[in-house]
């Protein structure tokens, strides 16, 4: 939906890369796990190893979900901006080509979230 403004609507976006002190924003969402309504937005350094996100960052945001401890990370399916993407846990965000405000989603085959009962 467009914006109808009564005068020119120009401004500098507050989420520019320069405003994050060497970090970049990375959105990460867990498909089919509706306890989390949207991807988390994380300010992370481009030199961070992707495996450190899995080992040190994601447990703090997704770890309280009962499925999290059962994830087999070797079977996780990754999407970058809606397209299949191959994660390499030994490479940095920069080496993987992840840029400011990229969106990653992951799917965990066999772990499909908390399902409610049908009424």
């Amino acid at each position: 939906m467009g914006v109808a403004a009564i005068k020119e609507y120009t401004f500098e976006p507050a989420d520019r890369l320069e405003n994050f002190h060497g970090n970049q924003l990375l959105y990460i969402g867990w498909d089919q796990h509706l306890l989390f309504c949207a991807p988390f937005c994380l300010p992370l350094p481009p030199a961070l190893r992707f495996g450190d996100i899995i080992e040190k960052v994601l447990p703090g945001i997704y770890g309280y979900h009962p499925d999290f401890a059962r994830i087999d990370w070797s079977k996780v399916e990754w999407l970058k901006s809606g397209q299949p993407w191959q994660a390499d846990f030994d490479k940095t965000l920069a080496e993987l080509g992840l840029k400011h405000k990229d969106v990653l989603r992951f799917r965990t085959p066999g772990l499909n979230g908390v399902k409610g009962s049908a009424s």
Side-chain angles (χ1 to χ4, degrees):
M1 175 159 59
V3 173
I6 59 173
K7 61 182 182 174
E8 189 175 345
Y9 188 71
T10 59
F11 62 93
E12 283 290 321
D15 62 354
R16 293 185 334 266
L17 180 61
E18 301 80 37
N19 293 343
F20 290 92
H21 312 287
N23 291 323
Q24 63 187 39
L25 298 181
L26 181 63
Y27 292 85
I28 301 179
W30 188 3
D31 283 1
Q32 299 178 328
H33 286 74
L34 300 179
L35 284 176
F36 315 104
C37 65
F40 284 90
C41 181
L42 306 167
L44 302 169
L48 181 66
R49 192 179 68 88
F50 193 76
D52 288 334
I53 294 173
I54 304 305
E55 297 164 12
K56 299 174 183 175
V57 176
L58 294 187
I61 58 176
Y62 290 121
Y64 61 91
H65 192 289
D67 281 351
F68 189 80
R70 300 184 303 158
I71 295 174
D72 179 346
W73 291 100
S74 69
K75 294 182 181 174
V76 167
E77 299 167 356
W78 291 94
L79 298 169
K80 178 184 174 200
S81 300
Q83 300 299 315
W85 182 76
Q86 185 64 43
D88 184 334
F89 292 12
D90 293 323
K91 290 188 176 179
T92 67
L93 300 182
E95 290 170 331
L96 290 169
L98 293 169
K99 305 283 188 233
H100 184 59
K101 298 199 286 186
D102 272 346
V103 178
L104 292 181
R105 294 186 355 247
F106 65 99
R107 296 178 180 159
T108 50
L111 303 175
N112 296 321
V114 177
K115 297 185 180 205
S117 60
S119 302

